[in-house]
């Protein structure tokens, strides 16, 4: 595996591989890798002749009161894991090269960026879409693998790729969980033992919602109530939002007729955790 830090060097590599007819797969990350990331990496490995993984903790997607400085980092460990997983290039740019003095350009996907997490993290998705467009134009991938754990992010990126005619295939990879159901996340590192246990209320509440739908419940309001009461049982967990929404538009739905996505954000200690599940309103 080769580590590339300079943007120009990354672009030259991609240009050569493209000219040689190679299909480039790309997995963008913020590092501090867990098995969820590594599953995306292994999936990306199968989808391209070449595999690029980036590690970049993107400052523009963190709010002023958020955890940019505290975000966990372990480059040496990540480097070994990516090498073992068959990565060709680890792209590891410096912030000063991604956003030099005088940087002025941002990409924003309207509406979709303002629902759900967007309402609580102003500017977050603007930072995400901006950095991804930059990474896409540096790495020039044919296919990008993103996690469905960040469901809103996945939908926003699909919309952006279509709207900007980026000619990239976007693959959504299912959420990877710990054995007890907790969705893997770099931010789980913030949790102490008690908080780790309280964090199980997220996946538990999603399971509860799934079983209600299986039993025939179709009213979003009742499902939201059930989730809320499950989270409220945990004194260490504080619900930020829970919503049932249309899987494409992310608009809130009152009834689950076709498919709907249940998404929630919960604060546990200093971690802000998100999770989601697909609710299938139609039988069969
Ligand atoms: P991050 O490093 O948090 O920016 O995540 C990098 C990529 O990994 C994103 O596409 C995430 O959606 C994805 N990802 C993170 N956690 C998981 C998980 N538990 N299961 C599946 N994908 C994940």
């Amino acid at each position: 595996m080769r580590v590339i830090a300079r943007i120009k060097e990354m672009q030259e590599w991609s240009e050569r591989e493209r000219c040689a007819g190679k299909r480039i797969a790309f997995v963008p990350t913020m590092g501090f890798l867990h098995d969820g990331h590594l599953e995306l990496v292994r999936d990306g490995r199968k989808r391209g002749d070449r595999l690029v993984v980036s590690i970049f903790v993107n400052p523009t997607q963190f709010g002023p009161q958020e955890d940019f400085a505290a975000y966990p980092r372990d480059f040496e460990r990540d480097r070994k894991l990516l090498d073992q997983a068959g990565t060709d290039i680890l792209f590891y740019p410096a912030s000063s090269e991604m956003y030099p003095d005088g940087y002025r350009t941002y990409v924003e996907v309207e509406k979709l960026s303002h629902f759900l997490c967007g309402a609580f993290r102003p500017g977050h998705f603007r930072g995400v879409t901006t950095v991804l467009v930059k990474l896409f134009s540096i790495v020039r991938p044919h296919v990008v693998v993103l996690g469905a754990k960040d469901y809103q992010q996945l939908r926003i990126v699909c919309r952006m790729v279509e709207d900007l005619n980026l000619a990239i295939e976007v693959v959504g990879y299912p959420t990877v969980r710990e054995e007890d159901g907790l969705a893997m996340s770099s931010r789980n590192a913030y949790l102490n033992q008690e908080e780790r246990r309280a964090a199980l209320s997220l996946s538990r509440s999603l399971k509860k919602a799934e079983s209600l739908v299986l039993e025939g419940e179709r009213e979003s309001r009742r499902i939201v109530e059930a989730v809320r009461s499950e989270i409220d049982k945990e004194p260490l967990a504080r619900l930020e939002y829970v919503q049932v929404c249309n899987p494409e538009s992310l608009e809130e739905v009152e009834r689950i007729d076709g498919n709907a996505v249940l998404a929630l954000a919960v604060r546990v200690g200093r971690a802000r955790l998100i999770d989601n599940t697909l609710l299938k309103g139609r039988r069969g």
Side-chain angles (χ1 to χ4, degrees):
M1 183 180 77
R2 184 168 142 201
V3 179
I4 296 182
R6 304 308 298 264
I7 291 173
K8 191 157 179 291
E9 192 181 340
M10 185 70 244
Q11 281 172 321
E12 285 168 358
W13 180 89
S14 291
E15 180 63 19
R16 269 199 310 279
E17 296 299 329
R18 278 187 164 251
C19 286
K22 303 298 182 196
R23 182 173 161 85
I24 301 174
F26 178 43
V27 179
T29 83
M30 298 205 299
F32 208 70
L33 303 178
H34 50 65
D35 285 343
H37 291 117
L38 294 175
E39 284 209 24
L40 265 65
V41 167
R42 287 189 280 269
D43 188 66
R45 178 69 279 171
K46 290 186 224 146
R47 291 178 188 273
D49 306 306
R50 297 287 181 265
L51 174 66
V52 179
V53 179
S54 65
I55 295 180
F56 182 61
V57 184
N58 173 38
T60 64
Q61 70 190 66
F62 289 81
Q65 310 300 328
E66 292 184 355
D67 57 343
F68 174 70
Y71 196 84
R73 295 160 167 90
D74 189 343
F75 181 74
E76 275 315 308
R77 179 173 172 275
D78 290 349
R79 196 172 61 80
K80 284 194 198 99
L81 289 171
L82 291 175
D83 197 6
Q84 285 161 11
T87 306
D88 294 303
I89 302 290
L90 167 51
F91 181 51
Y92 183 57
S95 221
S96 55
E97 212 190 345
M98 289 292 275
Y99 299 108
D101 284 347
Y103 188 89
R104 289 290 175 267
T105 306
Y106 292 86
V107 176
E108 180 154 0
V109 176
E110 291 181 350
K111 275 189 95 160
L112 295 181
S113 298
H114 301 117
F115 302 135
L116 306 167
C117 286
F120 294 87
R121 303 186 71 188
H124 168 66
F125 288 114
R126 178 180 185 255
V128 169
T129 43
T130 298
V131 81
L132 285 177
V133 163
K134 285 173 68 66
L135 288 169
F136 293 169
S137 73
I138 295 165
V139 174
R140 305 271 322 280
H142 297 84
V143 55
V144 172
V145 186
L146 300 176
K149 210 266 291 187
D150 299 275
Y151 187 78
Q152 185 175 14
Q153 169 172 290
L154 174 63
R155 292 300 347 144
I156 290 172
V157 174
C158 287
R159 184 75 253 165
M160 174 182 81
V161 162
E162 199 174 323
D163 288 353
L164 297 181
N165 312 102
L166 293 182
I168 297 172
E169 181 194 347
V170 179
V171 174
Y173 192 90
T175 302
V176 181
R177 298 178 181 280
E178 304 283 358
E179 246 170 59
D180 59 10
L182 180 67
M184 291 186 185
S185 163
S186 306
R187 288 190 170 98
N188 292 347
Y190 294 147
L191 303 170
N192 65 27
Q193 217 177 354
E194 250 183 306
E195 290 164 346
R196 169 74 179 69
R197 196 189 40 73
L200 286 176
S201 58
L202 280 87
S203 52
R204 210 184 303 128
S205 72
L206 296 182
K207 284 269 164 266
K208 173 91 195 161
E210 286 164 11
S211 58
L212 284 175
V213 173
L214 272 178
E215 288 160 18
E217 184 59 75
R218 292 292 177 272
E219 293 291 327
S220 300
R221 192 172 43 84
R222 296 234 178 77
I223 289 161
V224 161
E225 272 165 24
V227 169
R228 191 180 296 279
S229 82
E230 203 59 47
I231 303 291
D232 283 349
K233 282 186 204 156
E234 277 299 342
L236 295 180
R238 189 159 53 80
L239 184 68
E240 193 169 81
Y241 73 80
V242 49
Q243 208 169 91
V244 181
C245 56
N246 178 291
E248 300 285 321
S249 71
L250 301 181
E251 276 165 326
E252 194 168 5
V253 295
E254 283 180 19
R255 276 189 62 81
I256 302 160
D257 293 320
N259 284 343
V261 168
L262 173 67
L264 83 169
V266 176
R267 289 191 182 270
V268 184
R270 57 193 191 93
R272 180 182 182 278
L273 305 174
I274 57 171
D275 206 341
N276 69 82
T277 190
L278 185 68
L279 300 174
K280 293 183 183 142
R282 207 163 288 132
R283 288 174 201 274

